[in-house]
Amino acid sequence: MALNATIYKIELQISDMDRNYYATHALTLARHPSETDERMMIRVLAFALYADDRLEFGKGLSTDDEPDLWRREMNGDIGLWIDLGHPDPARVRKACGRSRLVVLINYGGRGGDIWWEKSANELRRSKNLTILDIPVEAVDALAALAERGLRLQCLIQDGHVQILKDDTVIGIDPQPRLAADLSGRWSNAG
């Protein structure tokens, strides 16, 4: 018997002073039975970091030809492709060929370091690729917030992110492992 996805409703209020972006989004996330709280909440963080009226979630873990999040341009081109974790370098190359900007959000701690050691030479060739590392402590704190009905505030200033829920404040400093020439954010990383 197949398990169904669990639906999460999240109200996300974003104040991104770095991009002068201020909006409230009503997000509906379908959480695949094999998806962890950590991964789901990193999807929410990724949305907050790159929020846009056209940014949307992909179909999920079971779809190989779509990212976790993406933004299509008015002409149908893919302007932004966001994947989480440690995808195969061949998938990343294909995404870089299809999209103006590809962002990988690495949240796996030591597993991310091992993945990078194996993939770095190949991934460094992609000029439109950004890789951000999220500290393990921040991932754990985000996962602890996961609820089916959730109201969050996200403040972003000078690359620092604060996620607020009631009396809880989580500070996150995404660390650029690799920065695309086009990114506009975290572009000085090497």
Side-chain angles (χ1 to χ4, degrees), residues 111-128:
D113 294 338
I114 293 168
W115 168 80
W116 177 249
E117 289 168 11
K118 292 178 181 177
S119 306
N121 288 337
E122 191 170 349
L123 295 178
R124 278 193 178 108
R125 291 185 227 142
S126 299
K127 299 298 180 202
N128 61 333

Side-chain angles (χ1 to χ4, degrees), residues 12-16 21-25 51 53 154:
L12 180 62
Q13 182 182 36
I14 301 168
S15 297
D16 186 340
Y21 182 85
Y22 306 92
T24 299
H25 294 271
D53 290 338
C154 177

Side-chain angles (χ1 to χ4, degrees), residues 50-100:
Y50 292 92
D52 179 288
D53 290 338
R54 291 189 319 268
L55 185 64
E56 54 189 62
F57 293 98
K59 290 181 184 171
L61 292 172
S62 59
T63 307
D64 289 336
D65 62 341
E66 285 189 13
D68 292 300
L69 294 99
W70 59 354
R71 184 189 68 235
R72 290 191 173 271
E73 303 302 338
M74 295 294 194
N75 64 3
D77 290 348
I78 302 169
L80 175 62
W81 176 293
I82 301 174
D83 265 340
L84 309 179
H86 317 123
D88 183 87
R91 175 182 168 83
V92 177
R93 277 194 324 275
K94 185 176 179 183
C96 287
R98 293 179 62 193
S99 178
R100 185 173 95 50

